[in-house]
Amino acid sequence: MSRMVGTVSRGVRAPIIRSGDNLAEIVTDSVLTAAKEEGYEIRDRDIVAMTEAIVARAQGNYASVDDIAADVRAKFGGETVGIIFPILSRNRFSVCLTGMAMGAKKIVLMLSYPSDEVGNHLISLDALDEKGVNPYSDVLDLKTYRELFGYEKHRFTGVDYVEFYETLIRDAGADCEIIFGNDPRAILKYTKNVLNCDIHTRARTKRILRAAGAEIVYGMDEILSAPVNGSGYNEHYGLLGSNKATDTQVKLFPRDCKALVDDIQARLFVATGKNVEVMVYGDGAFKDPVGKIWELADPVVSPAYTAGLEGTPNELKLKYLADNDFADLSGDALKAAIKEKIQQKDSDLYGKMASEGTTPRQLTDLIGSLCDLTSGSGDKGTPIVHIQGYFDNYTAE
């Protein structure tokens, strides 16, 4: 009889990770212990994933507001800095903003509207329509914004991020001016020195600013891209992907993770004789239909993974086969025909109609989203995820 269960995703509990811990050993032992206690076997092509947070914690990859301030001051000269397109997040950006403000005399903060890059809304599209505001062309100052839209609070956090960010900047000792716009060139009316904080569009924003006459341009990926006074850093992403650790410290996105995933894969093979894929994951990519947030606040979903997770799914759409190729079959005959079709499928279905409707995303992005939803971001205590059956299909026995 065919196996009746397909993909299973389990959150695995682990000790609280501290700087300097042997994470490869902890992850391996946690997965082996969970399998033993729950009575299931580890199989070939299982996937073991761990959150980027515990990797960075084990690495001790932290930095303080003083470190951020020193880097901003060194790069911009300590005068007026235009900070554009930050996301609206206490966890992701508040400590970074404090450090940036400490490194300048004045901050001109330009917020994208009606929402930030990852979907956190300042105001609704309906409100824009009602007031006759065109977000593609109109640049608003704070007075105009308040007159039009008042003091809007985030639906889930209850925070007025405009007021929150202004307070952070002034408390850090800098003067503050806030504008609202979606064309990065708008900031150049106020200052030629710009720190762009967008994540996935950062290269384009830098290109547009430089072409328009900006004099000093850095992205968040270039702040703490090297150690400052012995701080943590990330050579590829800088402050992108960082999280609040304390009111004065951030945990940076982990670095040099490939050796870790390969080490865990090797340890699991020695312990079980099975070839298990391993990855590090951050934010997944999925949209909340109510709050409208996309997640995806990390620069990549997975900063490191073993070789077997490279690529995209190569799957047939079962309902397409059932409705087209085998529309005249039913019952066991239909089941047998579909199984045979799967067994004979091409190694690359790119552009084939029979794969239409399957999810065209990288494996690591799909799996990372599954892991992010499984582990959650609160107090579940499961920073490791063990996935089984992900690479199974309808033919698996």
Side-chain angles (χ1 to χ4, degrees):
M1 180 179 178
S2 298
R3 192 186 326 148
M4 296 300 292
V5 176
T7 301
V8 175
S9 180
R10 296 180 175 92
V12 176
R13 289 182 177 169
I16 302 300
I17 305 301
R18 296 294 189 187
S19 177
D21 284 350
N22 186 333
L23 193 58
E25 181 179 299
I26 291 171
V27 171
T28 302
D29 289 349
S30 296
V31 170
L32 294 173
T33 301
K36 182 179 179 180
E37 288 186 353
E38 296 298 316
Y40 61 88
E41 293 185 357
I42 294 172
R43 302 195 296 257
D44 282 321
R45 298 228 73 191
D46 282 3
I47 303 166
V48 168
M50 72 216 84
T51 67
E52 57 81 20
I54 63 171
V55 180
R57 286 173 67 87
Q59 292 176 343
N61 202 19
Y62 292 85
S64 70
V65 290
D66 292 324
D67 300 325
I68 297 169
D71 205 12
V72 169
R73 192 178 301 111
K75 287 181 166 70
F76 289 96
E79 298 298 321
T80 298
V81 178
I83 294 178
I84 69 172
F85 303 156
I87 63 173
L88 307 173
S89 173
R90 294 166 297 176
N91 174 45
R92 291 285 190 171
F93 193 68
S94 63
V95 179
C96 295
L97 180 59
T98 295
M100 293 169 185
M102 288 169 59
K105 288 184 179 178
K106 179 179 179 179
I107 298 295
V108 181
L109 180 67
M110 187 167 87
L111 300 174
S112 56
Y113 76 100
S115 70
D116 68 11
E117 180 181 3
V118 299
N120 288 304
H121 275 63
L122 286 171
I123 48 179
S124 69
L125 285 168
D126 290 334
L128 291 183
D129 294 341
E130 179 186 341
K131 300 297 183 180
V133 175
N134 184 345
Y136 301 103
S137 60
D138 296 346
V139 178
L140 310 176
D141 60 20
L142 181 58
K143 181 176 182 292
T144 303
Y145 173 86
R146 292 299 192 196
E147 289 173 349
L148 288 170
F149 305 113
Y151 289 77
E152 289 284 336
K153 293 186 177 181
H154 190 279
R155 177 167 187 160
F156 291 135
T157 67
V159 174
D160 178 341
Y161 282 96
V162 179
E163 182 178 61
F164 178 53
Y165 281 179
E166 181 180 20
T167 300
L168 284 178
I169 292 168
R170 294 192 186 282
D171 286 351
D175 191 10
C176 178
E177 185 171 359
I178 298 179
I179 61 174
F180 303 81
N182 294 301
D183 184 338
R185 292 168 292 194
I187 194 68
L188 300 180
K189 177 182 176 182
Y190 301 85
T191 177
K192 303 292 186 183
N193 301 334
V194 187
L195 172 53
N196 65 294
C197 300
D198 46 338
I199 306 162
H200 306 291
T201 55
R202 60 188 183 275
R204 178 176 182 267
T205 299
K206 291 175 194 175
R207 173 173 56 78
I208 289 172
L209 286 167
R210 288 170 179 145
E215 295 174 0
I216 301 176
V217 179
Y218 288 98
M220 270 184 74
D221 58 319
E222 296 168 295
I223 304 299
L224 291 187
S225 57
V228 173
N229 300 321
S231 72
Y233 67 99
N234 189 299
E235 65 272 35
H236 300 297
Y237 303 119
L239 281 176
L240 291 181
S242 62
N243 287 271
K244 178 179 180 178
T246 70
D247 287 340
T248 60
Q249 191 178 53
V250 292
K251 175 194 63 60
L252 299 169
F253 207 54
R255 61 181 191 271
D256 303 328
C257 306
K258 187 63 168 69
L260 172 66
V261 297
D262 289 342
D263 187 7
I264 294 171
Q265 183 179 57
R267 288 169 182 258
L268 287 170
F269 184 81
V270 169
T272 67
K274 305 298 181 182
N275 183 36
V276 176
E277 304 297 345
V278 183
M279 65 181 280
V280 178
Y281 67 94
D283 267 355
F286 38 80
K287 186 171 182 179
D288 172 6
V290 178
K292 299 181 177 62
I293 188 171
W294 278 102
E295 285 288 304
L296 204 57
D298 288 320
V300 291
V301 174
S302 177
Y305 46 88
T306 50
L309 297 178
E310 190 71 50
T312 59
N314 191 58
E315 299 173 347
L316 296 171
K317 195 75 170 179
L318 295 191
K319 58 187 178 183
Y320 176 87
L321 297 177
D323 291 342
N324 290 272
D325 296 40
F326 308 121
D328 57 337
L329 300 179
S330 61
D332 289 342
L334 175 59
K335 184 176 181 180
I338 288 180
K339 282 191 172 185
E340 183 179 5
K341 189 77 170 181
I342 292 172
Q343 290 166 344
Q344 295 175 353
K345 70 182 177 182
D346 294 339
S347 59
D348 184 0
L349 293 170
Y350 178 78
K352 303 292 177 62
M353 188 60 70
S355 68
E356 184 180 24
T358 57
T359 306
R361 290 169 61 186
Q362 294 183 114
L363 285 169
T364 50
D365 293 340
L366 290 163
I367 297 164
S369 296
L370 173 60
C371 291
D372 194 16
L373 288 168
T374 300
S375 62
S377 58
D379 57 7
K380 287 184 173 63
T382 54
I384 303 164
V385 177
H386 185 184
I387 300 170
Q388 295 191 295
Y390 190 84
F391 295 105
D392 287 357
N393 59 41
Y394 193 56
T395 69
E397 301 293 336

